[in-house]
């Protein structure tokens, strides 16, 4: 089940209407931030290849793209959600290369 369907089902289960559905979002979670930084760095390197390409794809600064590639920082939820929409196979627990 995709995240949109999951959030809609959760919203419906708790009696939410369409407005409540728009407020609900579900993001992938990793238990340790350092693990996520390493995983995210590998993902954007595979998919984008350079800091400039990361910056263009995610509409962030070149410095942010470089920080993500170097594993110095990792993104907020909005960028993770976009990546999940673009590359859903990377977020599958049993199908992603780094899972």
């Amino acid at each position: 089940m995709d995240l949109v369907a999951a959030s809609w089902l959760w919203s419906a289960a708790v009696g939410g209407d369409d407005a409540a559905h728009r407020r609900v979002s579900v993001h992938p979670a990793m238990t340790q931030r350092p693990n996520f930084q390493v995983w995210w760095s590998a993902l954007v390197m595979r998919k984008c290849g350079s800091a400039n390409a990361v910056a263009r794809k995610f509409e962030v600064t070149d410095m942010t793209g470089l920080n993500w590639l170097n594993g110095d920082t990792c993104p907020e939820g909005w960028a993770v959600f976009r990546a999940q929409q673009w590359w859903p196979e990377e977020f599958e627990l049993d199908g992603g290369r780094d899972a």
Side-chain angles (χ1 to χ4, degrees), residues 48-94:
C48 299
S50 71
N52 185 264
V54 171
R56 286 193 321 267
K57 182 73 172 173
F58 287 92
E59 299 176 4
V60 297
T61 65
D62 284 347
M63 191 69 210
T64 297
L66 183 62
N67 286 338
W68 289 356
L69 285 176
N70 290 338
D72 296 330
T73 63
C74 57
E76 298 294 322
W78 66 268
V80 177
F81 188 68
R82 280 189 184 173
Q84 188 172 33
Q85 291 174 317
W86 294 327
W87 311 306
E89 70 282 356
E90 297 289 343
F91 290 80
E92 294 173 6
L93 293 178
D94 58 352

Side-chain angles (χ1 to χ4, degrees), residues 5-6 11 13-15 17-18 26-27 34 42 44 57-58 67 78 83 91 99:
S11 177
V14 296
D17 56 10
D18 284 340
V26 180
H27 299 284
V44 293
K57 182 73 172 173
F58 287 92
N67 286 338
W78 66 268
F91 290 80

Side-chain angles (χ1 to χ4, degrees), residues 33-43 68-69 71 73-74 98:
R33 186 174 180 92
N35 294 345
F36 180 72
Q37 285 177 234
V38 170
W39 180 86
W40 182 259
S41 175
L43 173 68
W68 289 356
L69 285 176
T73 63
C74 57
D98 293 326

